[in-house]
Amino acid sequence: MKTILLATLAMLTVVGTSTAKSPKTQTNVIAHRGYWKTSGSHENSIASIKKAVEHKMYGAEFDVWLTADNVPVVYHNSKTANGILIQNTTLADLRAKADKLPNGEVIPTLDEYLTAWNHGSTKLICEIKRHRDDQRNRDIVHEIIKVMNAHNVGADEAQYITFGRTSIEELLKADVPQEIIYLNGDMTPQELKDWGVDGFDYSYKVLDQHPEWIQEARELGLSSNVWTIDDPALMQKYIDLGVDYITTDDPILLLELLKKSKKKK
Ligand code: MG
């Protein structure tokens, strides 16, 4: 009897362990601001999305601002290199006055960026920047959706990421088919789930304090992404933690590490 009881307990322990630990999924590479650490490219440029597709990156992250005349453009900082505040400037003025990107391109519109992407296998990780007020944080969501729809971007071809709670609320209201991901690092996976978003994309500085959030997210059906990691030891740490995505400025290095990790398994 004792033996049977022990055997049953052992079996329960095995079952318990296997359900508590979901199977590890493959970590995927997100090229931060596209693939730009290569000749002829620059962050958030047309070349950066083309090269991300060429090199079969899983995803390419990029940043979107709304011009004063409601055109979404792809650029990181709020101001151009020569100090023009994008959200206060029309596209025509931006084209006339802004410095070119170091690779010779002009700041691309989202429409131009999506044309260059051309439904390549690389997923679009679209960061919606925080604008000066709630109205503009809502406006940008709708202008981006218009462009995405004009290009027939599918549910699995893109995800939206943002630090801005107003933009998240607007994406939820618009019921976009793509994933909605929160960047700000101040909510637990359960809070995100209750809010209705699909996952987090948090700084490694946040996740270093809460590595358990990766597993918690998986158990809740949320995705996990960590930014921005260029150090191989830190990349390996997050591969081992089973994060879904690592966002990096060095996607080739991460691809190599992932290949090695796969071989070891
Ligand atoms: Mg960004």
Side-chain angles (χ1 to χ4, degrees), residues 91 97 128 233 239:
L91 180 67
K97 294 173 189 163
I128 303 173
I239 294 168

Side-chain angles (χ1 to χ4, degrees), residues 5-264:
L5 193 67
L6 281 175
T8 313
L9 273 175
M11 263 175 70
L12 281 173
T13 312
V14 170
V15 171
T17 311
S18 62
T19 45
K21 262 194 179 177
S22 313
K24 260 193 181 177
T25 54
Q26 174 70 44
T27 299
N28 292 297
V29 179
I30 308 293
H32 185 229
R33 305 180 195 170
Y35 180 33
W36 53 269
K37 260 194 177 177
T38 178
S39 80
S41 191
H42 185 70
E43 50 188 60
N44 284 325
S45 66
I46 293 292
S48 75
I49 182 63
K50 284 187 173 171
K51 286 178 190 285
V53 173
E54 238 171 69
H55 286 80
K56 299 189 167 44
M57 301 298 172
Y58 180 87
E61 187 264 0
F62 57 96
D63 307 283
V64 184
W65 286 97
L66 194 61
T67 63
D69 54 341
N70 294 323
V71 183
V73 295
V74 179
Y75 198 73
H76 180 263
N77 293 346
S78 58
K79 288 180 178 175
T80 66
N82 55 332
I84 297 166
L85 190 62
I86 295 172
Q87 56 184 313
N88 285 358
T89 309
T90 62
L91 180 67
D93 277 351
L94 200 62
R95 286 279 152 96
K97 294 173 189 163
D99 277 352
K100 286 197 170 156
L101 303 179
N103 70 341
E105 291 180 27
V106 294
I107 294 172
T109 63
L110 178 61
D111 178 54
E112 290 162 348
Y113 191 90
L114 295 190
T115 301
W117 165 68
N118 193 26
H119 295 272
S121 59
T122 298
K123 194 168 191 164
L124 303 167
I125 312 295
C126 176
E127 180 177 348
I128 303 173
K129 301 305 281 190
R130 266 189 299 201
H131 287 58
R132 65 174 168 265
D133 57 36
D134 282 351
Q135 187 56 52
R136 293 312 273 169
N137 288 324
R138 285 192 285 270
D139 291 344
I140 186 169
V141 166
H142 294 286
E143 297 303 330
I144 288 176
I145 291 172
K146 275 187 213 164
V147 180
M148 291 286 198
N149 287 345
H151 284 265
N152 293 313
V153 177
D156 296 332
E157 288 186 303
Q159 59 174 233
Y160 296 107
I161 63 174
T162 184
F163 286 91
R165 290 188 181 218
T166 307
S167 291
I168 293 260
E169 290 292 347
E170 210 59 17
L171 288 162
L172 289 169
K173 257 192 253 166
D175 198 20
V176 291
Q178 295 87 7
E179 285 180 312
I180 304 168
I181 308 290
Y182 186 58
L183 283 169
N184 208 32
D186 57 351
M187 292 177 79
T188 66
Q190 187 62 57
E191 287 169 332
L192 294 172
K193 176 84 179 176
D194 295 343
W195 197 16
V197 308
D198 301 295
F200 64 71
D201 184 352
Y202 285 170
S203 163
Y204 69 87
K205 290 172 192 162
V206 170
L207 291 177
D208 278 355
Q209 303 302 313
H210 293 286
E212 75 282 4
W213 283 359
I214 293 168
Q215 183 63 25
E216 280 177 36
R218 174 151 308 135
E219 283 163 11
L220 290 166
L222 304 180
S223 69
S224 58
N225 189 341
V226 58
W227 54 268
T228 298
I229 300 184
D230 301 331
D231 170 56
L234 205 49
M235 285 175 177
Q236 191 60 53
K237 173 183 167 176
Y238 279 94
I239 294 168
D240 294 341
L241 280 168
V243 76
D244 292 324
Y245 311 105
I246 295 176
T247 302
T248 177
D249 289 317
D250 205 339
I252 298 292
L253 173 67
L254 178 54
L255 279 171
E256 280 165 15
L257 271 181
L258 283 166
K259 253 187 236 162
K260 277 187 212 156
S261 298
K262 227 179 181 180
K263 270 186 205 157
K264 265 191 246 160

